[in-house]
Amino acid sequence: MPTENLRADAERNRRLLVETARAVFAERGLDAPLDEIARRAGVGNATLYRRFPVRRDLIAAVFLDTLRQVVDASERALAEPDPWSAFAGHLVFLGELQASNRALADLLTASISGKGELAELRGIAFDNLNQLIDNAQDAGVLRADFGHADVVLILMAGAGLIQRTADAAPTAWRRHLSYVLDGLRAPGPTPATPAPTDRQVLAAMRTLTRTSGCA
């Protein structure tokens, strides 16, 4: 077979695997069996692993564009003149992403090992979110006892709620988040229980990483 035909076949298989993985991850989360992705794409396991040697490579191919959207959204939020609207609006945006795709709920709360554009984009998005929090607290509109790691906990709670209500009550997460945001406005109505440490939250994220295959 001519070289150009081999290259065309390889690129077609890659696109097919990425499209199939996007659908399977959306249905089953980031820990979906790679064998299932290969089967539904109509290719052999060897083809999948040749194109994507580790799960993280396939996750990056599927979600890089989405993470670019997250970064863009966070930068738009930083340009918003009202610090509370910027912070709250971005949390709603992240909730909408979680609700649209089960795998995104995993991706937003799991730690991602290794380097590359996937990790780089997550880092930028995280830094921008931290700046949104700082801006809101500096303006006195966000509770001073709210920590950056608390956002991860909110997203983890939202992911669980979305998973359990997606079919029966797909907008339930919005109601829950509205209550959460009300409780975050400064001054807080009651003192919160001590926040978990960053190390404890990172440990929870690593647990999700192990189960989702992001490591």
Side-chain angles (χ1 to χ4, degrees):
M1 180 181 292
T3 301
E4 59 270 20
N5 289 343
L6 289 172
R7 289 174 178 168
D9 285 346
E11 181 56 29
R12 182 170 57 253
N13 284 339
R14 184 184 187 283
R15 287 198 305 269
L16 183 58
L17 283 166
V18 170
E19 291 168 2
T20 305
R22 181 175 290 110
V24 175
F25 284 152
E27 295 169 6
R28 305 182 60 173
L30 292 182
D31 59 346
L34 297 185
D35 291 353
E36 170 70 6
I37 293 171
R39 184 189 66 78
R40 286 174 56 170
V43 303
N45 288 354
T47 298
L48 186 152
Y49 289 109
R50 185 164 56 250
R51 302 299 304 176
F52 305 102
V54 296
R55 181 183 295 265
R56 185 175 60 251
D57 296 335
L58 183 55
I59 291 171
V62 171
F63 291 111
L64 277 177
D65 284 345
T66 301
L67 281 180
R68 293 188 188 106
Q69 293 173 22
V70 173
V71 169
D72 289 345
S74 66
E75 291 175 349
R76 289 194 300 272
L78 285 172
E80 163 69 47
D82 182 331
W84 175 258
S85 294
F87 166 74
H90 194 59
L91 255 61
V92 172
F93 168 79
L94 294 177
E96 289 171 343
L97 280 184
Q98 287 186 303
S100 70
N101 188 314
R102 178 177 170 185
L104 287 173
D106 294 343
L107 186 67
L108 291 172
T109 54
S111 63
I112 301 295
S113 62
K115 299 181 180 180
E117 191 174 3
L118 186 73
E120 180 182 352
L121 288 170
R122 276 174 51 98
I124 295 171
F126 181 75
D127 289 344
N128 287 349
L129 177 58
N130 284 346
Q131 188 60 56
L132 289 170
I133 293 170
D134 290 344
N135 291 348
Q137 289 179 326
D138 289 344
V141 294
L142 176 63
R143 295 173 62 135
D145 61 351
F146 183 78
H148 298 164
D150 289 321
V151 175
V152 177
L153 300 182
I154 290 172
L155 293 175
M156 285 182 173
L161 179 62
I162 288 166
Q163 181 178 347
R164 288 163 176 78
T165 63
D167 294 330
T171 62
W173 69 270
R174 290 183 181 275
R175 181 178 178 85
H176 177 262
L177 182 57
S178 70
Y179 288 141
V180 171
L181 289 172
D182 282 347
L184 294 180
R185 279 186 176 274
T190 56
T193 57
T197 65
D198 288 348
R199 178 174 296 182
Q200 289 172 317
V201 173
L202 183 58
M205 294 172 71
R206 285 174 175 162
T207 298
L208 179 57
T209 299
R210 288 193 294 271
T211 60
S212 66
C214 294

